[in-house]
Amino acid sequence: ILAQGQEAARRGVVIGCDSRNHSAQFARETAAVLAANGIKVYLFESLRPTPELSFAVRHLHCIAGVNITASHNPKVYNGYKAYWEDGAQMERELSDQVSAAMAKRDILEDVHTCDWQQAQQEGKIQLIGAEVDEAYLSAVLAESMEDSIRGSDLGVVYSAFHGAGYRIIPELLKRRGLEKLYAEPQQMVPDGNFPTVESPNPEYVQGFHLAIPLTQEKGAQLILGSDPDADRTAALVRNDSGDWVALSGNQVGILLTYYIINRHQAHGTMPKDPVVIKSIVSSRMIDAICEAEGVRCMEVYTGFKHMGQAIRRMEQSGQGSTIFSYEESYGYLKGTYCRDKDAPVTCMLL
């Protein structure tokens, strides 16, 4: 960042974290290092979804972003996701520069840091929260494909898997008008030990053992879940035998691709040169749907950062308008307001 000049340092870095053990501590340490190096810091006052961090990078016009999370991995892990100014995770060239710079430094002698609370008092670290939440929610709500779902008989049970979706996803669905929303109470408590699940990965149906009985109590027809940093989304429905089954990542991607294209066509809102982006390991059925509906399908390497880069290239060239991005590992994004997979918008669309 400093190699980019003073303007980059002034633009600063936005930092977020999830519910994992020590995530908040690591976020403050990251903020202290940046502040000690003369780089402006925006620090979320509590846990937030990874896609909101991606959104915040562009919303605040930052040069970079950092989220402390290990996504859906076991509780013993934590990690560090680094984003650049376009809101996507750093591409190879930039991450190679970071790795090379780290290799030249001694971690005991060459790391500059400071007291994060003092840096906050001096204005070097600015706490953020509600204003960015509202901007993010507005951006997600703008991606809705329906006039209203108020008055619907649909009942939905939602689980946050003890993670960052616990507050923002119920709020989003209520604003969309979903009246029969039932949050599984135990799993709505942020907790890095993930006490009610063997694994905090919503791809495993076993994690919904508390949500399924709640559907019977409330008469709900759909179960939604998000992983601890609220970027991946799971959906469960009943099969013909009445048993709850999880839709695969590809099934959800196929349904959403067709739904989004269909709704754009029905409303007359399809942009010029529409594009669906998918990873190379995702279903070929998407290609068939796009071909039949006159939409371009673009394949990229696995990992949402490649989708973010594709979105940026299309914006820069003026060729192509991204309407949906997806990978089979439960990651989906409608639109371009952020550059990472987004559980809140996926829950809304489902």
Side-chain angles (χ1 to χ4, degrees), residues 251-267:
Q251 287 175 320
V252 172
I254 289 162
L255 287 167
L256 288 180
T257 297
Y258 182 74
Y259 169 71
I260 290 167
I261 292 173
N262 178 274
R263 292 288 83 198
H264 271 308
Q265 291 172 338
H267 295 316

PDB file of all heavy atoms in Angstrom, residues 251-267:
ATOM      1  N   GLN A 251     -27.398 -27.553  -8.072  1.00  0.00           N
ATOM      2  CA  GLN A 251     -28.850 -27.420  -8.198  1.00  0.00           C
ATOM      3  C   GLN A 251     -29.308 -25.994  -7.886  1.00  0.00           C
ATOM      4  O   GLN A 251     -30.135 -25.415  -8.595  1.00  0.00           O
ATOM      5  CB  GLN A 251     -29.549 -28.428  -7.287  1.00  0.00           C
ATOM      6  CG  GLN A 251     -29.469 -29.862  -7.790  1.00  0.00           C
ATOM      7  CD  GLN A 251     -30.057 -30.857  -6.807  1.00  0.00           C
ATOM      8  OE1 GLN A 251     -29.871 -30.736  -5.595  1.00  0.00           O
ATOM      9  NE2 GLN A 251     -30.764 -31.856  -7.312  1.00  0.00           N
ATOM     10  N   VAL A 252     -28.767 -25.424  -6.807  1.00  0.00           N
ATOM     11  CA  VAL A 252     -29.115 -24.044  -6.464  1.00  0.00           C
ATOM     12  C   VAL A 252     -28.642 -23.092  -7.565  1.00  0.00           C
ATOM     13  O   VAL A 252     -29.364 -22.170  -7.970  1.00  0.00           O
ATOM     14  CB  VAL A 252     -28.513 -23.649  -5.099  1.00  0.00           C
ATOM     15  CG1 VAL A 252     -28.700 -22.154  -4.836  1.00  0.00           C
ATOM     16  CG2 VAL A 252     -29.154 -24.453  -3.982  1.00  0.00           C
ATOM     17  N   GLY A 253     -27.431 -23.311  -8.070  1.00  0.00           N
ATOM     18  CA  GLY A 253     -26.919 -22.456  -9.146  1.00  0.00           C
ATOM     19  C   GLY A 253     -27.772 -22.514 -10.394  1.00  0.00           C
ATOM     20  O   GLY A 253     -28.044 -21.494 -11.036  1.00  0.00           O
ATOM     21  N   ILE A 254     -28.240 -23.727 -10.740  1.00  0.00           N
ATOM     22  CA  ILE A 254     -29.098 -23.906 -11.913  1.00  0.00           C
ATOM     23  C   ILE A 254     -30.435 -23.196 -11.714  1.00  0.00           C
ATOM     24  O   ILE A 254     -30.916 -22.465 -12.589  1.00  0.00           O
ATOM     25  CB  ILE A 254     -29.304 -25.411 -12.173  1.00  0.00           C
ATOM     26  CG1 ILE A 254     -27.999 -26.032 -12.691  1.00  0.00           C
ATOM     27  CG2 ILE A 254     -30.449 -25.660 -13.152  1.00  0.00           C
ATOM     28  CD1 ILE A 254     -27.958 -27.540 -12.566  1.00  0.00           C
ATOM     29  N   LEU A 255     -31.050 -23.404 -10.540  1.00  0.00           N
ATOM     30  CA  LEU A 255     -32.335 -22.772 -10.250  1.00  0.00           C
ATOM     31  C   LEU A 255     -32.233 -21.243 -10.291  1.00  0.00           C
ATOM     32  O   LEU A 255     -33.086 -20.563 -10.873  1.00  0.00           O
ATOM     33  CB  LEU A 255     -32.845 -23.225  -8.877  1.00  0.00           C
ATOM     34  CG  LEU A 255     -33.356 -24.662  -8.781  1.00  0.00           C
ATOM     35  CD1 LEU A 255     -33.526 -25.074  -7.326  1.00  0.00           C
ATOM     36  CD2 LEU A 255     -34.667 -24.819  -9.535  1.00  0.00           C
ATOM     37  N   LEU A 256     -31.185 -20.716  -9.669  1.00  0.00           N
ATOM     38  CA  LEU A 256     -31.043 -19.262  -9.616  1.00  0.00           C
ATOM     39  C   LEU A 256     -30.712 -18.675 -10.983  1.00  0.00           C
ATOM     40  O   LEU A 256     -31.195 -17.595 -11.341  1.00  0.00           O
ATOM     41  CB  LEU A 256     -29.981 -18.860  -8.594  1.00  0.00           C
ATOM     42  CG  LEU A 256     -30.377 -19.041  -7.128  1.00  0.00           C
ATOM     43  CD1 LEU A 256     -29.234 -18.606  -6.209  1.00  0.00           C
ATOM     44  CD2 LEU A 256     -31.640 -18.260  -6.789  1.00  0.00           C
ATOM     45  N   THR A 257     -29.894 -19.370 -11.764  1.00  0.00           N
ATOM     46  CA  THR A 257     -29.588 -18.891 -13.117  1.00  0.00           C
ATOM     47  C   THR A 257     -30.867 -18.754 -13.930  1.00  0.00           C
ATOM     48  O   THR A 257     -31.119 -17.711 -14.549  1.00  0.00           O
ATOM     49  CB  THR A 257     -28.612 -19.852 -13.821  1.00  0.00           C
ATOM     50  OG1 THR A 257     -27.371 -19.877 -13.116  1.00  0.00           O
ATOM     51  CG2 THR A 257     -28.353 -19.404 -15.257  1.00  0.00           C
ATOM     52  N   TYR A 258     -31.673 -19.814 -13.944  1.00  0.00           N
ATOM     53  CA  TYR A 258     -32.905 -19.768 -14.721  1.00  0.00           C
ATOM     54  C   TYR A 258     -33.870 -18.724 -14.179  1.00  0.00           C
ATOM     55  O   TYR A 258     -34.502 -17.977 -14.942  1.00  0.00           O
ATOM     56  CB  TYR A 258     -33.590 -21.141 -14.742  1.00  0.00           C
ATOM     57  CG  TYR A 258     -34.846 -21.137 -15.579  1.00  0.00           C
ATOM     58  CD1 TYR A 258     -34.779 -21.106 -16.969  1.00  0.00           C
ATOM     59  CD2 TYR A 258     -36.102 -21.100 -14.985  1.00  0.00           C
ATOM     60  CE1 TYR A 258     -35.919 -21.060 -17.748  1.00  0.00           C
ATOM     61  CE2 TYR A 258     -37.251 -21.057 -15.755  1.00  0.00           C
ATOM     62  CZ  TYR A 258     -37.156 -21.040 -17.126  1.00  0.00           C
ATOM     63  OH  TYR A 258     -38.295 -20.979 -17.893  1.00  0.00           O
ATOM     64  N   TYR A 259     -33.987 -18.667 -12.860  1.00  0.00           N
ATOM     65  CA  TYR A 259     -34.894 -17.705 -12.228  1.00  0.00           C
ATOM     66  C   TYR A 259     -34.512 -16.260 -12.571  1.00  0.00           C
ATOM     67  O   TYR A 259     -35.364 -15.442 -12.948  1.00  0.00           O
ATOM     68  CB  TYR A 259     -34.876 -17.912 -10.710  1.00  0.00           C
ATOM     69  CG  TYR A 259     -35.566 -16.828  -9.916  1.00  0.00           C
ATOM     70  CD1 TYR A 259     -36.949 -16.683  -9.918  1.00  0.00           C
ATOM     71  CD2 TYR A 259     -34.810 -15.942  -9.144  1.00  0.00           C
ATOM     72  CE1 TYR A 259     -37.573 -15.688  -9.176  1.00  0.00           C
ATOM     73  CE2 TYR A 259     -35.426 -14.944  -8.404  1.00  0.00           C
ATOM     74  CZ  TYR A 259     -36.803 -14.818  -8.423  1.00  0.00           C
ATOM     75  OH  TYR A 259     -37.406 -13.835  -7.698  1.00  0.00           O
ATOM     76  N   ILE A 260     -33.234 -15.928 -12.436  1.00  0.00           N
ATOM     77  CA  ILE A 260     -32.781 -14.557 -12.688  1.00  0.00           C
ATOM     78  C   ILE A 260     -32.993 -14.178 -14.152  1.00  0.00           C
ATOM     79  O   ILE A 260     -33.493 -13.083 -14.465  1.00  0.00           O
ATOM     80  CB  ILE A 260     -31.310 -14.397 -12.267  1.00  0.00           C
ATOM     81  CG1 ILE A 260     -31.193 -14.465 -10.744  1.00  0.00           C
ATOM     82  CG2 ILE A 260     -30.719 -13.085 -12.792  1.00  0.00           C
ATOM     83  CD1 ILE A 260     -29.767 -14.628 -10.228  1.00  0.00           C
ATOM     84  N   ILE A 261     -32.636 -15.074 -15.066  1.00  0.00           N
ATOM     85  CA  ILE A 261     -32.852 -14.791 -16.493  1.00  0.00           C
ATOM     86  C   ILE A 261     -34.337 -14.631 -16.772  1.00  0.00           C
ATOM     87  O   ILE A 261     -34.762 -13.679 -17.452  1.00  0.00           O
ATOM     88  CB  ILE A 261     -32.250 -15.922 -17.358  1.00  0.00           C
ATOM     89  CG1 ILE A 261     -30.729 -15.932 -17.258  1.00  0.00           C
ATOM     90  CG2 ILE A 261     -32.678 -15.765 -18.821  1.00  0.00           C
ATOM     91  CD1 ILE A 261     -30.065 -17.116 -17.937  1.00  0.00           C
ATOM     92  N   ASN A 262     -35.154 -15.541 -16.250  1.00  0.00           N
ATOM     93  CA  ASN A 262     -36.601 -15.508 -16.474  1.00  0.00           C
ATOM     94  C   ASN A 262     -37.224 -14.224 -15.963  1.00  0.00           C
ATOM     95  O   ASN A 262     -38.058 -13.597 -16.633  1.00  0.00           O
ATOM     96  CB  ASN A 262     -37.237 -16.725 -15.799  1.00  0.00           C
ATOM     97  CG  ASN A 262     -38.753 -16.760 -15.940  1.00  0.00           C
ATOM     98  OD1 ASN A 262     -39.458 -16.161 -15.125  1.00  0.00           O
ATOM     99  ND2 ASN A 262     -39.236 -17.432 -16.963  1.00  0.00           N
ATOM    100  N   ARG A 263     -36.824 -13.792 -14.759  1.00  0.00           N
ATOM    101  CA  ARG A 263     -37.392 -12.575 -14.181  1.00  0.00           C
ATOM    102  C   ARG A 263     -36.954 -11.329 -14.955  1.00  0.00           C
ATOM    103  O   ARG A 263     -37.746 -10.406 -15.160  1.00  0.00           O
ATOM    104  CB  ARG A 263     -36.979 -12.440 -12.714  1.00  0.00           C
ATOM    105  CG  ARG A 263     -37.571 -13.477 -11.763  1.00  0.00           C
ATOM    106  CD  ARG A 263     -39.066 -13.261 -11.519  1.00  0.00           C
ATOM    107  NE  ARG A 263     -39.865 -13.860 -12.584  1.00  0.00           N
ATOM    108  CZ  ARG A 263     -41.122 -13.560 -12.843  1.00  0.00           C
ATOM    109  NH1 ARG A 263     -41.741 -12.643 -12.126  1.00  0.00           N
ATOM    110  NH2 ARG A 263     -41.774 -14.149 -13.810  1.00  0.00           N
ATOM    111  N   HIS A 264     -35.696 -11.283 -15.373  1.00  0.00           N
ATOM    112  CA  HIS A 264     -35.238 -10.155 -16.207  1.00  0.00           C
ATOM    113  C   HIS A 264     -36.062 -10.070 -17.485  1.00  0.00           C
ATOM    114  O   HIS A 264     -36.482  -8.976 -17.907  1.00  0.00           O
ATOM    115  CB  HIS A 264     -33.764 -10.316 -16.557  1.00  0.00           C
ATOM    116  CG  HIS A 264     -32.819  -9.714 -15.563  1.00  0.00           C
ATOM    117  ND1 HIS A 264     -32.925  -8.397 -15.121  1.00  0.00           N
ATOM    118  CD2 HIS A 264     -31.726 -10.232 -14.945  1.00  0.00           C
ATOM    119  CE1 HIS A 264     -31.954  -8.147 -14.266  1.00  0.00           C
ATOM    120  NE2 HIS A 264     -31.219  -9.231 -14.133  1.00  0.00           N
ATOM    121  N   GLN A 265     -36.312 -11.213 -18.108  1.00  0.00           N
ATOM    122  CA  GLN A 265     -37.089 -11.229 -19.351  1.00  0.00           C
ATOM    123  C   GLN A 265     -38.530 -10.794 -19.100  1.00  0.00           C
ATOM    124  O   GLN A 265     -39.096 -10.018 -19.875  1.00  0.00           O
ATOM    125  CB  GLN A 265     -37.043 -12.626 -19.971  1.00  0.00           C
ATOM    126  CG  GLN A 265     -35.669 -13.012 -20.500  1.00  0.00           C
ATOM    127  CD  GLN A 265     -35.589 -14.474 -20.925  1.00  0.00           C
ATOM    128  OE1 GLN A 265     -36.391 -15.305 -20.484  1.00  0.00           O
ATOM    129  NE2 GLN A 265     -34.619 -14.798 -21.758  1.00  0.00           N
ATOM    130  N   ALA A 266     -39.111 -11.266 -17.997  1.00  0.00           N
ATOM    131  CA  ALA A 266     -40.501 -10.928 -17.687  1.00  0.00           C
ATOM    132  C   ALA A 266     -40.668  -9.446 -17.386  1.00  0.00           C
ATOM    133  O   ALA A 266     -41.679  -8.837 -17.750  1.00  0.00           O
ATOM    134  CB  ALA A 266     -40.980 -11.764 -16.501  1.00  0.00           C
ATOM    135  N   HIS A 267     -39.669  -8.851 -16.716  1.00  0.00           N
ATOM    136  CA  HIS A 267     -39.755  -7.440 -16.335  1.00  0.00           C
ATOM    137  C   HIS A 267     -39.173  -6.500 -17.384  1.00  0.00           C
ATOM    138  O   HIS A 267     -39.262  -5.275 -17.240  1.00  0.00           O
ATOM    139  CB  HIS A 267     -39.014  -7.209 -15.010  1.00  0.00           C
ATOM    140  CG  HIS A 267     -39.622  -7.911 -13.835  1.00  0.00           C
ATOM    141  ND1 HIS A 267     -40.980  -7.943 -13.590  1.00  0.00           N
ATOM    142  CD2 HIS A 267     -39.061  -8.620 -12.812  1.00  0.00           C
ATOM    143  CE1 HIS A 267     -41.226  -8.632 -12.489  1.00  0.00           C
ATOM    144  NE2 HIS A 267     -40.080  -9.069 -11.998  1.00  0.00           N
TER     145      HIS A 267
END
